[in-house]
Amino acid sequence: MTTMNTYKHEVKYYECDRMGVTHHSNYVRFMEEARVDWLDQLGFGFEKIEAENVFSPVVSISCEYKHPTTFKDIIDIEVKISKMSEMKFEFEYTMRSNGKLVCIGHSAHCFIENGRPVAISKRLPELYSTLMNRLSE
Amino acid sequence: MTTMNTYKHEVKYYECDRMGVTHHSNYVRFMEEARVDWLDQLGFGFEKIEAENVFSPVVSISCEYKHPTTFKDIIDIEVKISKMSEMKFEFEYTMRSNGKLVCIGHSAHCFIENGRPVAISKRLPELYSTLMNRLSE
Amino acid sequence: MTTMNTYKHEVKYYECDRMGVTHHSNYVRFMEEARVDWLDQLGFGFEKIEAENVFSPVVSISCEYKHPTTFKDIIDIEVKISKMSEMKFEFEYTMRSNGKLVCIGHSAHCFIENGRPVAISKRLPELYSTLMNRLSE
Amino acid sequence: MTTMNTYKHEVKYYECDRMGVTHHSNYVRFMEEARVDWLDQLGFGFEKIEAENVFSPVVSISCEYKHPTTFKDIIDIEVKISKMSEMKFEFEYTMRSNGKLVCIGHSAHCFIENGRPVAISKRLPELYSTLMNRLSE
């Protein structure tokens, strides 16, 4: 099984707030960046899924903030599939910076075709089996 | 007890993504806007808390996305205190637009003084009792 | 001729940076908000132009920053048509807050149909004459 | 003289708008990223200037948009000092992607100490001479 690289996000000046730390809303964006990269590494780039006329909205997200980060910090993001069903899959994001745990995130997603939810196992079987394999990690 | 007004956010063009809908990360920002307004209505503006040399980081957030919104939609946000302890308080956000439930959000917060968590009941007793009263709603 | 209302933007917490002031990139977004509102007031809402299968990309922008603003400041934005040709039109934005001039902005726009620039006077004659009338202000 | 590396920004999903292209306001942020990197390469990191209790607000910015970019495009940004005086310095940004010129930007900056503009040549002579050398490029 492919060894996955963690995703690295360097905090930008404009991502920091009045308290001098990365604004909490930005971690949701870092999760998206890491997820896109993770799927790319597995050969399921955004274009490939979009080309199927299927799209994958975010069903829910959560973040637990453990430690602040700031301008120029490198956030190292490890992505895992944490749950998986016919209709929904969930990622877990472990974000570390300077040797500290900074944030644990989760996001859940489904697949939609022509405005209706579709079973991933049927509509995108190759993606489904790849994600299922990763779930056992 | 003061009757609270809901907060209204009109979706901006730059808040919408390639799929034509409000990018999911922006709801976390709408929650912040609504929270600031809610505390203002109760007489606990940001300046007032900042002037105490106390600051209030976000401990965790979550969003469940129920229905997409888009450019020019008015999102009506109802804020409630959903949990409260000596050290932590939690808001619930019910967001509606065009008669539909669009998102349910939660955020948890603590208070920090000189780098250490403080008991709200002792450090900001007036705010504590106001929030406690609202909890019973 | 319709009297135009200025557009008001209240600075959000997440729009302020590490220096405690509104991040300079956000003024470009405030310009877009004010422009959308100005066209709405004249009866040329975004939907109406989009429905013509014409779209209007930004050709250039500029901002001169005169005075910083911060969280909760109300920025009052006056929009004017400052230049107008068959192919391009330009807005000027005068932003004031707390009795001070905070920023002067400009943006230039053209119209595109099927990937090619179109003459506004021919493709959208009603909009063209409305904008021309406003130019003489 | 140090050979400078161009700065690379990969367009994120959340940076694209309803038209499917990078929202124009984001180029102002890419300019900031490239400027920070350019100054880092010359040994004038943000921390170093901040440690002098001097800060450097943006006086003006402009962008000419030449060609759109979209999700996953790599924007290659070349930074140059284009103007320089005792009180103000100006950067030029040439942004290219997929062999096309996408945007030309400019930003002007001054230095402020205790709320007042300062002469760079006197307050930060090392930075001043470095920038002057680069001006002759």
Side-chain angles (χ1 to χ4, degrees):
Chain A
M1 205 156 61
T2 319
T3 305
M4 305 297 280
N5 297 315
T6 58
Y7 178 78
K8 286 174 202 320
H9 178 95
E10 185 173 348
V11 177
K12 306 301 184 293
Y13 185 81
Y14 58 78
E15 291 171 339
C16 295
D17 67 16
R18 270 164 56 112
M19 294 200 286
V21 299
T22 308
H23 190 267
H24 65 281
S25 64
N26 290 320
Y27 291 86
V28 179
R29 300 184 170 187
F30 305 161
M31 283 157 58
E32 183 180 89
E33 293 178 31
R35 183 168 66 243
V36 163
D37 176 70
W38 192 89
L39 287 165
D40 268 347
Q41 289 186 51
L42 288 172
F44 292 95
F46 198 86
E47 324 69 62
K48 196 172 172 178
I49 294 170
E50 245 185 0
E52 295 275 350
N53 283 317
V54 161
F55 79 104
S56 183
V58 180
V59 173
S60 65
I61 54 104
S62 69
C63 291
E64 290 170 65
Y65 304 102
K66 299 298 189 185
H67 205 83
T69 58
T70 191
F71 184 36
K72 292 193 173 177
D73 280 346
I74 311 278
I75 303 180
D76 196 77
I77 310 179
E78 186 187 355
V79 179
K80 277 189 181 165
I81 284 282
S82 52
K83 270 189 207 170
M84 186 83 201
S85 75
E86 290 282 307
M87 307 304 283
K88 211 165 87 171
F89 58 108
E90 193 181 293
F91 289 107
E92 184 176 273
Y93 310 82
T94 308
M95 309 191 207
R96 292 183 184 87
S97 189
N98 303 313
K100 277 180 180 143
L101 180 64
V102 297
C103 182
I104 294 172
H106 287 89
S107 67
H109 309 259
C110 63
F111 281 103
I112 300 277
E113 188 170 28
N114 302 322
R116 289 166 161 274
V118 290
I120 312 162
S121 56
K122 284 167 197 159
R123 189 59 187 82
L124 295 162
E126 206 191 335
L127 175 61
Y128 184 75
S129 67
T130 303
L131 296 181
M132 279 303 277
N133 279 337
R134 287 285 157 189
L135 184 59
S136 53
E137 284 181 299
Chain B
M1 203 155 62
T2 319
T3 306
M4 305 297 280
N5 297 314
T6 57
Y7 178 79
K8 286 175 202 319
H9 179 96
E10 185 173 349
V11 178
K12 306 301 184 296
Y13 185 82
Y14 58 78
E15 290 171 339
C16 295
D17 67 16
R18 271 164 56 112
M19 293 199 286
V21 299
T22 308
H23 190 267
H24 66 282
S25 63
N26 291 320
Y27 291 87
V28 179
R29 299 183 171 188
F30 306 161
M31 284 158 58
E32 183 180 88
E33 292 178 32
R35 184 168 66 243
V36 164
D37 176 69
W38 192 89
L39 287 166
D40 268 346
Q41 290 186 52
L42 288 173
F44 292 95
F46 199 84
E47 326 66 67
K48 196 172 171 179
I49 293 169
E50 245 184 2
E52 295 274 350
N53 283 317
V54 161
F55 80 104
S56 182
V58 181
V59 173
S60 65
I61 54 105
S62 68
C63 290
E64 290 169 66
Y65 304 101
K66 299 299 189 184
H67 205 83
T69 57
T70 190
F71 183 36
K72 291 194 175 178
D73 281 345
I74 311 277
I75 303 180
D76 196 77
I77 311 178
E78 186 187 354
V79 178
K80 277 190 182 165
I81 284 282
S82 52
K83 268 189 208 170
M84 185 81 200
S85 74
E86 290 282 307
M87 307 304 283
K88 210 164 87 170
F89 57 109
E90 193 181 292
F91 288 107
E92 184 176 273
Y93 310 82
T94 308
M95 310 190 206
R96 292 183 183 87
S97 188
N98 303 312
K100 278 180 180 144
L101 180 65
V102 297
C103 182
I104 294 172
H106 287 89
S107 67
H109 309 260
C110 63
F111 281 105
I112 300 278
E113 188 171 27
N114 303 322
R116 289 166 161 274
V118 288
I120 312 162
S121 56
K122 283 169 197 159
R123 189 59 188 80
L124 296 161
E126 205 191 337
L127 175 61
Y128 184 74
S129 67
T130 303
L131 296 180
M132 279 302 279
N133 279 338
R134 287 286 156 190
L135 184 59
S136 54
E137 283 180 301
Chain C
M1 205 155 63
T2 320
T3 306
M4 304 297 279
N5 297 315
T6 57
Y7 177 79
K8 287 175 203 318
H9 178 95
E10 185 173 347
V11 178
K12 305 302 183 293
Y13 185 82
Y14 59 78
E15 290 171 340
C16 295
D17 67 16
R18 271 165 56 112
M19 292 201 286
V21 299
T22 308
H23 191 265
H24 66 282
S25 63
N26 290 320
Y27 291 87
V28 179
R29 299 183 170 189
F30 306 160
M31 285 158 59
E32 183 181 87
E33 292 177 32
R35 181 167 69 245
V36 164
D37 176 70
W38 192 89
L39 287 165
D40 267 347
Q41 289 186 51
L42 289 172
F44 292 95
F46 199 85
E47 323 68 64
K48 196 173 171 176
I49 294 170
E50 245 184 2
E52 294 275 350
N53 283 316
V54 161
F55 79 104
S56 183
V58 181
V59 173
S60 65
I61 55 103
S62 70
C63 291
E64 290 171 65
Y65 304 101
K66 299 299 189 184
H67 204 83
T69 57
T70 190
F71 183 37
K72 292 195 174 176
D73 281 346
I74 310 278
I75 304 180
D76 195 78
I77 310 178
E78 186 186 356
V79 178
K80 278 189 181 166
I81 283 284
S82 52
K83 270 189 206 169
M84 185 82 200
S85 76
E86 290 282 307
M87 307 305 284
K88 209 166 86 170
F89 59 108
E90 192 180 294
F91 289 106
E92 184 176 273
Y93 310 81
T94 308
M95 309 191 207
R96 291 181 184 89
S97 188
N98 302 313
K100 279 181 178 141
L101 180 65
V102 297
C103 182
I104 294 171
H106 287 89
S107 67
H109 308 260
C110 64
F111 281 104
I112 301 277
E113 188 171 27
N114 303 322
R116 288 167 160 275
V118 290
I120 312 161
S121 57
K122 283 170 196 155
R123 189 59 186 80
L124 296 161
E126 207 192 336
L127 174 62
Y128 184 75
S129 67
T130 303
L131 296 180
M132 279 302 278
N133 280 338
R134 288 285 156 188
L135 184 59
S136 54
E137 284 180 301
Chain D
M1 203 155 61
T2 320
T3 305
M4 304 298 279
N5 297 316
T6 57
Y7 178 79
K8 286 174 204 318
H9 178 96
E10 184 172 349
V11 178
K12 305 304 182 292
Y13 185 82
Y14 59 78
E15 291 170 340
C16 295
D17 67 16
R18 270 164 57 111
M19 292 200 288
V21 299
T22 308
H23 191 265
H24 66 282
S25 63
N26 290 321
Y27 292 87
V28 179
R29 299 183 170 187
F30 306 160
M31 284 157 60
E32 183 180 88
E33 293 177 32
R35 182 167 69 244
V36 163
D37 176 69
W38 192 89
L39 287 166
D40 267 347
Q41 289 186 52
L42 288 173
F44 292 96
F46 199 85
E47 323 68 64
K48 195 173 172 177
I49 293 170
E50 244 185 2
E52 294 276 349
N53 283 316
V54 161
F55 80 104
S56 182
V58 180
V59 173
S60 65
I61 54 102
S62 69
C63 292
E64 290 170 66
Y65 304 101
K66 300 298 187 184
H67 205 83
T69 57
T70 190
F71 183 37
K72 292 196 174 176
D73 280 347
I74 310 278
I75 304 180
D76 195 77
I77 310 177
E78 186 186 356
V79 179
K80 276 190 181 166
I81 284 282
S82 53
K83 268 189 206 170
M84 185 82 200
S85 75
E86 290 281 308
M87 307 304 284
K88 209 166 87 170
F89 59 108
E90 193 180 292
F91 289 105
E92 184 176 274
Y93 310 81
T94 308
M95 309 191 208
R96 291 182 184 88
S97 187
N98 302 313
K100 279 181 179 142
L101 180 65
V102 297
C103 182
I104 294 172
H106 287 89
S107 66
H109 308 260
C110 65
F111 281 104
I112 301 277
E113 187 171 28
N114 302 322
R116 290 166 159 273
V118 290
I120 313 161
S121 57
K122 283 169 196 158
R123 188 59 186 79
L124 295 162
E126 207 192 336
L127 175 61
Y128 184 74
S129 68
T130 303
L131 295 180
M132 280 302 279
N133 279 340
R134 288 285 156 186
L135 184 59
S136 54
E137 285 180 297

